[in-house]
Amino acid sequence: MREINDYRDKNVLVFGAGMSGTNAALLLVKLGAHVTLTDAKPAAEIADYDRLVKAGINVVAGSSPESLVETADLMVKNPGIPYSVPLVQAALHKSIPIICEVELAAEISSAPIVAVTGSNGKTTTTTMISEMLTAGMSNGTAYRAGNIGIPATQVAERDTSRDQIVMELSSFMLLGITKFHPHIAVITNIYSNHLDYHKTRENYVAAKMRITKNQTERDFLVMNFDQPEWRKLSQQSKAIVVPFSAQGNYEDGAYQHRGKLYFRDEFIMNVTDLKVSGEPNVENALAAIAVAKLSGVPNDKIVEVLRTFSGVRHRNQYVLTAAGREFYNDSKATDIEATQMALAGMQKPVVLIAGGLDRGYTFEKLEPEFRDHVRGLVVYGETAELLKQAGTTAGVSDIKVVNNLDEAVPAAYDLSQPGDVVLLSPANASWDQFASYEERGDRFIADVEKLTGQREEK
């Protein structure tokens, strides 16, 4: 951690008492700031309320009145809170700077930062990169942080110049950066997501591209080059662009050719040696290889990680096999493209469980994958009827509509046959019935364990 004096005697308003807000507030106190933290939750529901108060933080719970901005020099906002919320609007009206917790973490970090964003594959790619970088270090650790569920400030407080931080960044987080400057930035892909928050796809794309806005000619942007739009977007960056391509089109970066993975014409490994399967994981591996090679990680360390890396919880996670059925948890598939990728990577017939929060999408884009991969479909939640309609149009003969995930698991089992995959890949956010995709995935695993009488295979 670097010692800085930028916040000494500043009045800082932290908006949101989740993990990132709590860590930011406690750090700011250590940096000499006068901190007020506010959240709509009552005090009894704020996990660290007593610790915050004991640290000298003024906690305003139960409501977030606009008057809180009157004395504020800075707002540190929870990334998920929209800018349309009255307290945020009041801060904007007074021209109070608004940042998020990852910006604060970057300011105090002593370690170089690798930043990863994209619509899909962020968590897997972040994890692969951190394991490769750590494997290549003789002294130090590549810590994971950010949208992966670990507050960036928590990591930055303990890092040293021998370490690195690999930050997974959401579009929400990227809206809250000002000086944030990763030496290596990664964009796994850009589809359409979170339009309920960003309002337009253009806004969403612009948010993603903020990851490279402060990079210079001495930095690197590792970017998926498999779609023309993404290649064009890379031209916005001042950094050295290093492409990766699962289609094998761009040999000046990382690419796949005839079942082999290369970096700038140097053979790295065979695709069949990846422990995780499917085209999305080939893309993730290529992005991670590019970062590792730019960072000087030896090939044998890269190969060792990819031969043993078994995936990330809630992202195409193998759970168990029972009565000839394989169960997979892909709860992190919160958009259509993630479910498309999950289905495309399956080599066996699938009984799919899908559904969740209605963000105004329709699901015609899933119809080709439904036709090619889905034997049966179980839908629930706010988007159940829309998914049923897409399944019917695609010719899926066995479709069940249920009320919730607890009902969906036995219904999917009943539709399945030995040799099938039962896959939770919702194509929707979880917030109609769950607080997070992690909670949804954990519930799916618990339901599978209850149904089969077996335990999750770790």
Side-chain angles (χ1 to χ4, degrees), residues 74 156 178 195 266 394:
L74 172 74
T178 53
L195 299 190
E266 180 184 1

Side-chain angles (χ1 to χ4, degrees), residues 374-397:
V374 175
R375 178 198 300 283
L377 179 62
V378 179
V379 294
Y380 74 97
E382 293 179 358
T383 57
E385 290 300 325
L386 291 168
L387 284 158
K388 178 184 176 182
Q389 181 179 335
T392 301
T393 303
V396 179
S397 56

Side-chain angles (χ1 to χ4, degrees), residues 22-35:
T22 295
N23 276 274
L26 292 167
L27 171 62
L28 285 160
V29 168
K30 293 178 187 176
L31 296 176
H34 307 294
V35 181

